[in-house]
Amino acid sequence: MAVTELMVAAYTAGMQADNDLHRKWIRVMHKLSEVTGVAHLGTLASDSRLDMLLRVLEAESLERLKSPARNQIDFSQDILFSLSECWVLRAYEVIRAGWERMGRPPRGHDKMRALLHRLGLARMPIAKGEIQQAKRAEKAGETIMLTHSNGCDPQPYANNGSYIVPRAICPTTGAMMWITVDINPVQSVAICRRDLSDEFLAVID
């Protein structure tokens, strides 16, 4: 079977895995496109299919965590990470467009504001190798210290595109996680792709 046929089969399997989720995505993408502009409808449709594919891959990822393959090269995690980061980058732009078109309302729309912030926590290091809003912290004279997970070898953050966000697999969902830094206040925050997707689906409820 050709690679294209395999990919189409995988997308189809994702859409058929959860009919209720498929219908919810259709409803959400039409309602959200009224806010973002219809130009984003195609992106939303594509993102919905990618999300459903990722959910199938995440379920299989969870099974792999329970029974890891031994003595063989496994590229499944690389595929999961690449597709997850693609989904985050596209989802961020859709939510950002909606936020901008609403004129960044100071009150209300709390779920969209929160989702934009959380998507940004993952998106900024993926796209630019930086921590979200780190430049604002620098202007305020704050120093962001980065440490290893064991708390050793603290180093000052350098806002020069060299920041590599730690990544992991969520032990509950099998989804990709980014161990990000939120500067308000400065703290480590684990962002799970599945959580972002669930928040996206609920952003206009």
Side-chain angles (χ1 to χ4, degrees), residues 131 133-147 154-159 181-183 185-187:
I131 293 173
Q133 298 179 339
K135 292 179 180 178
R136 191 174 71 180
E138 286 184 350
K139 289 180 180 178
E142 301 175 10
T143 300
I144 301 173
M145 298 298 296
L146 302 176
T147 64
Q155 297 289 332
Y157 166 74
N159 196 26
V181 176
D182 191 338
I183 68 166
V186 177
Q187 60 182 356

Side-chain angles (χ1 to χ4, degrees), residues 35 47 49 87 108 119 126 128 132 137 144 150 187 189-190 195:
V35 177
D47 285 354
R49 292 188 288 269
W87 185 88
L119 281 166
I126 293 171
K128 297 187 176 183
Q132 181 173 243
I144 301 173
N150 59 9
Q187 60 182 356
V189 178
D195 291 342

